[in-house]
Amino acid sequence: MSLDETLARIDADLPEATERLLNLLRIPSISTDPAYKEHCQEAADWLVEDLKSLGVQAEKRPTPGHPMVVGHVEGDGPHVLFYGHYDVQPVDPLELWNSEPFDAKIEDTPEGKVIRARGASDDKGQLMTFVEACRAWKAVHGTMPCKITFFFEGEEESGSPSLIPFLKENAEELKADLALICDTGLFESKTPAIMTMLRGLLGEEITLTGASKDLHSGMYGGAAMNPIRALTKVLANLHDDQGRVQVPGFYDGVPEMPDEILKQWEGMGFDHGKFLGDVGLSKPAGEQDRTALEMIWSRPTCEINGIIGGYTGEGFKTVLPSKARAKVSFRLVGQQDPHKIRESFRAWVKEQLPEDVDVEFHGHGNSPASQMSTDHPAFEQARRALSEEWTNDAALTGCGGSIPIAGYFKTYLGMDTLLTGWGKDDDAIHSPNEKYDVESFHKGIRSWARILDAITK
Ligand code: BES
Ligand code: MN
Ligand code: MN
C-alpha cells in the first residue's frame, strides 16, 4: 500500500475526523479546577473508547489526580510512544469569548475555516492529528505502521503533579525507542518546526502580610506599612532598565548560543515586526541587546503573571490592605537550576522587605530546560517527510513554551523525543476564542502519516 492511499483516505475522512474532534472538545476537561474533575474522567473515557475503535488496547489509569490514558498496539519496526494532553486551560475571562468555549464548532473566517473551542489547539486538536493518522493508516493497511504506545495526560496544564511518579512506576511499560509529542506550533504558516530546545519553568507565589487586618486608609494611612507598596517595590526590582533579571545568580548556567546557530536563526526570515505587531505591540521588551527570537527561544525570563491585593471591585474603597500577593514565573534555559533560583529569589525578596512585612512563599512547579538530542535517525526522516507536506522545509527551532515531559522522558526512561506540531501564533492558546485552523488539523494528520511512513520504511 502506498502512502498516497493513506493520504487520500485522510482527505476523504476529514469531515468525520473533524466531527470526532468537536465531540472531544465539547468535554470541558479543565484540570486545574476541581469542579471539572468528572469531565476530566469523561475525556479520558472518550479517548479510551476512541483508541479501542482503532484496535488499541487502551485503558484509563488512575493517579492521585486526573487519570492517564495508556494504550498499546503491536506492529513491526520501531516502537514509538505518542504523548499528548487531554486537559485544557480554564476559560476565563468568559466575557471575552464570542461563543461558548465548549460549544465547539467550525467557523468560516476571512483567513479560512477554524475549529473554535477551548483546547482546539492546546492540545486536543493536535493530539487527534496523530490518532487520525493512525486511523487512516489502519483503514488502508489493516495494521498500524509500527508498535505504538499512546500516552495521554490529564494534568499538563496544572503542572503535572502525578507525572513523575507515574513515569517511574510504569517505566518498563512506557519505554519505547522514541517519543513523539504534538504540542507545539509551526514556525510560520508554511514552515513546520521540529523543536530542539525547550525552556524550563519555575513558578513562585509570594504573599506579603502587613497589619493583622484591613485598615481604613484615612485612619492608619501614612503610619501603617502597606504590603502592596512593599510588593510593587520588589516586583519593580525584578528587571533593570536593560531588561535583565536582577535576582542574584539568575544567569548562572545560561549558555551563549554558538554564532552559527544565531546566524541560522537570522537567516530564517522571522518577521520581528509582525510577531509583535499582530498583538498590538512594537518594541521587544526583554534584554535590549537581544533579538526577539533570542528572547523567546534561548534567553531566560522573569514574568509577573498576576497581582492580587486591596480593593479590585467596582467603584472605590479607601482600604489599606493586610495582604498583597503576586505570582511570578521564570522561563529557564541551558543549565539554569530551578532549585537554586528558587532559593536565591526567596532570599532576595526577604532582603528587600521593610519592617512589619512578613512573607510566605508558595512554589508552583519547577522544571529545567531541555535540549533535544537530534542524533536519532527519525529526526532527519521526519524533517524530510515534513518538507513533502508543507511548502517550506522544516526548521529546527527553539521553543519559548515549556513541555517538561520531554526532559522527563530522557531522565526517567532514557528516551529521546521528537517534538513537532501544527499550531499557529494566532491560535490564542490559554486565551479567549482559542481556535485551530482546519488546515492545521488536516495537514497535521497528513504530516503524521508521512512521518510514520518515513520512520518505518
Ligand atoms: N503546549 C503548551 C506549551 C507550548 C506553548 C508550546 C507555546 C509551544 C508554544 C503547554 O500546554 C503549556 O501551556 N505549557 C505550560 C507549562 C505547564 C507546566 C503549565 C507553559 O509553557 O506555560
Ligand atoms: Mn499543550
Ligand atoms: Mn498549554
Side-chain angles (χ1 to χ4, degrees):
M1 296 293 160
S2 71
L3 173 62
D4 285 342
E5 284 171 81
T6 308
L7 296 176
R9 168 82 197 186
I10 290 170
D11 297 349
D13 195 37
L14 184 64
E16 284 75 23
T18 311
E19 271 311 313
R20 283 185 286 269
L21 171 58
L22 292 177
N23 285 331
L24 175 60
L25 288 168
R26 287 179 185 130
I27 305 171
S29 46
I30 302 172
S31 60
T32 199
D33 185 342
Y36 294 83
K37 193 169 186 289
E38 283 311 310
H39 294 298
C40 292
Q41 295 284 342
E42 202 187 323
D45 288 330
W46 190 97
L47 285 164
V48 166
E49 288 311 311
D50 197 52
L51 288 177
K52 282 185 178 165
S53 77
L54 296 180
V56 176
Q57 288 226 338
E59 45 177 34
K60 196 166 72 166
R61 303 278 283 269
T63 75
H66 304 301
M68 308 280 179
V69 171
V70 179
H72 298 287
V73 66
E74 289 305 320
D76 298 329
H79 175 193
V80 299
L81 174 143
F82 177 80
Y83 166 90
H85 61 92
Y86 68 77
D87 64 322
V88 302
Q89 285 279 338
V91 298
D92 64 286
L94 187 59
E95 65 276 15
L96 295 185
W97 285 77
N98 299 323
S99 55
E100 284 297 313
F102 296 105
D103 180 15
K105 54 174 150 323
I106 307 293
E107 269 176 39
D108 270 312
T109 75
E111 291 78 38
K113 283 194 189 311
V114 305
I115 301 159
R116 180 89 59 193
R118 168 57 88 229
S121 176
D122 188 11
D123 181 38
K124 288 171 175 170
Q126 304 242 71
L127 177 162
M128 288 304 289
T129 60
F130 185 85
V131 174
E132 293 299 343
C134 292
R135 193 185 323 272
W137 191 289
K138 175 95 192 267
V140 169
H141 296 77
T143 57
M144 285 290 184
C146 58
K147 181 172 174 175
I148 303 176
T149 296
F150 295 83
F151 179 34
F152 302 141
E153 188 190 0
E155 301 184 319
E156 197 274 347
E157 299 291 11
S158 47
S160 302
S162 311
L163 183 61
I164 292 179
F166 191 86
L167 289 179
K168 284 185 178 164
E169 275 159 34
N170 300 282
E172 273 318 300
E173 182 187 350
L174 294 173
K175 192 175 163 24
D177 300 321
L178 179 72
L180 307 172
I181 298 184
C182 191
D183 195 21
T184 53
L186 299 166
F187 175 65
E188 55 87 48
S189 63
K190 294 184 167 41
T191 315
I194 295 175
M195 268 68 183
T196 62
M197 294 159 57
L198 287 171
R199 292 199 289 190
L201 185 62
L202 169 66
E204 278 284 278
E205 188 163 333
I206 331 169
T207 306
L208 300 189
T209 307
S212 53
K213 57 182 178 188
D214 284 3
L215 305 172
H216 188 294
S217 71
M219 256 168 98
Y220 287 93
M225 185 60 196
N226 183 334
I228 298 184
R229 176 170 143 200
L231 179 67
T232 50
K233 190 158 187 191
V234 170
L235 297 180
N237 282 338
L238 280 167
H239 301 88
D240 69 11
D241 57 9
Q242 291 302 302
R244 282 178 62 88
V245 177
Q246 307 213 79
V247 175
F250 182 69
Y251 289 94
D252 292 355
V254 175
E256 277 305 324
M257 285 293 111
D259 278 345
E260 77 190 68
I261 302 252
L262 289 178
K263 280 222 182 71
Q264 200 186 316
W265 288 0
E266 254 165 56
M268 290 171 100
F270 180 74
D271 189 338
H272 288 83
K274 183 175 184 313
F275 175 64
L276 287 180
D278 279 351
V279 292
L281 299 173
S282 58
K283 187 177 181 303
E287 296 166 280
Q288 291 305 298
D289 53 347
R290 307 284 172 174
T291 64
L293 211 52
E294 284 179 273
M295 289 175 194
I296 54 174
W297 283 357
S298 63
R299 299 299 299 174
T301 65
C302 169
E303 294 296 344
I304 303 155
N305 301 119
I307 305 187
I308 309 148
Y311 183 68
T312 57
E314 290 297 315
F316 205 80
K317 179 179 174 186
T318 51
V319 64
L320 206 162
S322 158
K323 287 187 188 298
R325 176 177 302 178
K327 295 173 194 275
V328 175
S329 67
F330 300 89
R331 296 277 169 184
L332 309 178
V333 302
Q335 308 303 316
Q336 275 180 303
D337 179 342
H339 301 285
K340 280 197 182 148
I341 292 175
R342 174 166 279 161
E343 268 174 42
S344 173
F345 171 72
R346 291 183 177 185
W348 178 82
V349 169
K350 281 186 190 154
E351 257 168 40
Q352 298 174 70
L353 297 179
E355 299 271 304
D356 288 341
V357 173
D358 288 330
V359 60
E360 260 178 84
F361 294 100
H362 179 70
H364 285 274
N366 67 88
S367 61
S370 49
Q371 172 79 44
M372 304 299 121
S373 138
T374 52
D375 299 339
H376 197 288
F379 279 83
E380 205 35 52
Q381 291 160 345
R383 211 174 159 186
R384 261 181 274 132
L386 286 172
S387 304
E388 299 286 315
E389 177 65 25
W390 301 83
T391 312
N392 302 321
D393 288 353
L396 295 181
T397 71
C399 176
S402 302
I403 306 180
I405 194 172
Y408 302 154
F409 279 152
K410 188 74 191 175
T411 307
Y412 299 106
L413 306 183
M415 182 164 68
D416 287 323
T417 298
L418 188 149
L419 287 138
T420 189
W422 335 111
K424 287 173 136 188
D425 286 348
D426 67 357
D427 282 353
I429 63 172
H430 295 204
S431 205
N433 304 311
E434 179 174 351
K435 60 90 174 160
Y436 197 44
D437 289 2
V438 170
E439 189 189 36
S440 288
F441 186 56
H442 185 191
K443 287 174 84 67
I445 303 171
R446 291 171 55 96
S447 295
W448 280 121
R450 290 183 187 279
I451 291 174
L452 287 167
D453 181 64
I455 65 179
T456 56
K457 261 197 182 127

